[in-house]
């Protein structure tokens, strides 16, 4: 099992708005700004037992979630809030994939998939799938349980085959309305939603491979949001906050079409 570094950054997520000079435009944006203020203040109180730390200062207990959380911390805690008036709001930028040290780290992600020659400056190489594969390997998940791959569709097809091949699979695939994500799970978007769910195996594999867009690693569920970390988001390792419904399941999110939730039983 690979070792897991201990968290080393104590930095809370803070909202630092840039107010426009125009009084009129400020008045027009005031409701959204107030919403963001209440939202982020509320999130800052979640997960804190003594009121002295923000929500993101508490590392997850699941090993897979912890590795993803540490990478997010290492590279500046880039954060995006989705849902409501805050939809798409970037709370802060992180380190850019084209600059060091993230550029070389992207090479490590690709190395877990057999391509150490690729890095953050390799054009035309989206690395979000490589990031997920590296996180799984780093957290001690065996390659037989989670075959690393640079494409989300490739590793998801492998997980589908294992999930439908009998009992004892380390990962289970669910439609978004069937299962509430938890730490260490994957939340995945696509271009066609969960059309794979009730299709025959051959059709399901094809739809998974052809329609998946992106997967994030869930690092927490609190404050009415799934907190999930992904690579190649805003050109960095970024945490996205996605709203959940009263059952804890992914809610409709503007600009996102939820395809599946992958339950992590390995860690």
């Amino acid at each position: 099992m690979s070792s897991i570094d201990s968290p080393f950054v104590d930095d809370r997520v803070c909202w630092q708005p840039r107010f426009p000079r125009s009084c009129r435009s400020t008045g027009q944006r005031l409701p959204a700004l107030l919403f963001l203020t209440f939202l982020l203040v509320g999130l800052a109180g979640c997960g804190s037992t003594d009121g002295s730390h923000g929500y993101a200062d508490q590392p997850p207990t699941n090993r897979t979630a912890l590795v993803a959380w540490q990478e997010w911390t290492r590279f500046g805690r880039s954060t995006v809030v989705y849902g409501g008036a805050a939809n798409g709001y970037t709370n802060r930028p992180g380190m850019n994939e084209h600059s060091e040290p993230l550029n070389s780290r992207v090479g490590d992600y690709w190395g877990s998939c057999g391509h150490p020659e690729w890095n953050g400056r390799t054009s035309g190489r989206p690395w979000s799938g490589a990031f997920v594969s590296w996180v799984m390997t780093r957290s001690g998940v065996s390659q037989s349980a989670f075959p690393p791959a640079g494409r989300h569709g490739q590793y998801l097809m492998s997980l589908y085959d294992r999930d439908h091949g009998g009992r004892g699979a380390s990962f289970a695939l669910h439609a978004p309305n069937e299962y509430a994500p938890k730490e260490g799970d994957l939340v995945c978007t696509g271009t066609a939603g969960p059309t794979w769910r009730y299709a025959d195996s051959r059709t399901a594999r094809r739809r998974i491979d052809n329609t998946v867009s992106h997967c994030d690693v869930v690092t927490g569920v609190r404050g009415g949001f799934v907190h999930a970390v992904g690579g190649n988001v805003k050109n960095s390792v970024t945490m996205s906050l996605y709203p959940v419904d009263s059952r804890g399941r992914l809610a409709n999110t503007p600009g996102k079409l939820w395809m599946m939730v992958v339950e992590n039983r390995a860690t």
Side-chain angles (χ1 to χ4, degrees):
M1 180 182 300
S2 303
S3 61
I4 300 178
D5 301 331
S6 59
F8 56 89
V9 174
D10 184 15
D11 184 15
R12 73 183 62 187
V13 175
C14 299
W15 178 46
Q16 298 177 338
R18 296 181 179 177
F19 292 101
R21 294 180 180 179
S22 168
C23 295
R24 180 180 179 182
S25 60
T26 300
Q28 293 172 339
R29 294 177 57 191
L30 186 57
L33 294 175
L34 288 174
F35 174 84
L36 284 171
T37 301
F38 290 125
L39 171 66
L40 296 174
V41 168
L43 288 172
C46 299
S48 176
T49 57
D50 60 3
S52 61
H53 298 288
Y55 78 96
D57 291 327
Q58 280 200 341
T61 56
N62 174 271
R63 293 200 311 273
T64 301
L66 177 59
V67 170
W69 184 91
Q70 287 175 334
E71 287 299 286
W72 170 68
T73 298
R74 186 187 301 272
F75 294 115
R77 296 190 168 194
S78 169
T79 307
V80 183
V81 181
Y82 291 93
N87 188 57
Y89 174 75
T90 302
N91 183 59
R92 68 165 66 195
M95 294 183 183
N96 190 283
E97 64 184 309
H98 301 300
S99 59
E100 294 293 358
L102 182 53
N103 175 52
S104 296
R105 193 63 158 181
V106 172
D108 294 338
Y109 304 152
W110 277 118
S112 70
C113 306
H115 293 285
E117 71 278 11
W118 296 343
N119 56 43
R121 291 191 180 133
T122 305
S123 60
R125 301 288 183 186
W127 48 275
S128 56
F131 174 79
V132 171
S133 294
W134 180 90
V135 167
M136 291 297 174
T137 300
R138 181 73 173 173
S139 63
V141 179
S142 69
Q143 293 190 6
S144 61
F146 190 103
R151 291 193 305 107
H152 296 289
Q154 185 175 343
Y155 70 69
L156 287 175
M157 283 193 299
S158 297
L159 297 181
Y160 175 87
D161 291 340
R162 284 159 173 75
D163 189 24
H164 286 72
R167 297 180 179 179
S170 298
F171 294 86
L173 279 57
H174 304 279
N177 65 339
E178 297 174 334
Y179 173 83
K182 65 181 190 314
E183 287 186 7
D185 291 346
L186 300 179
V187 290
C188 303
T189 57
T191 59
T195 60
W196 60 273
R197 184 65 180 87
Y198 297 106
D200 62 87
S201 296
R202 183 177 178 179
T203 302
R205 294 181 83 259
R206 184 176 67 250
R207 289 178 178 176
I208 289 172
D209 190 32
N210 292 340
T211 65
V212 64
S213 301
H214 179 80
C215 294
D216 292 318
V217 180
V218 177
T219 58
V221 184
R222 51 191 172 273
F225 289 84
V226 164
H227 302 221
V229 172
N232 201 33
V233 179
K234 304 294 182 180
N235 296 316
S236 188
V237 176
T238 296
M239 178 181 287
S240 298
L241 273 61
Y242 302 120
V244 295
D245 61 21
S246 59
R247 300 178 297 172
R249 299 176 184 181
L250 291 165
N252 291 333
T253 304
K256 301 288 181 181
L257 186 58
W258 293 115
M259 178 181 181
M260 71 171 65
V261 180
V262 180
E263 178 187 0
N264 180 355
R265 299 170 178 171
T267 61

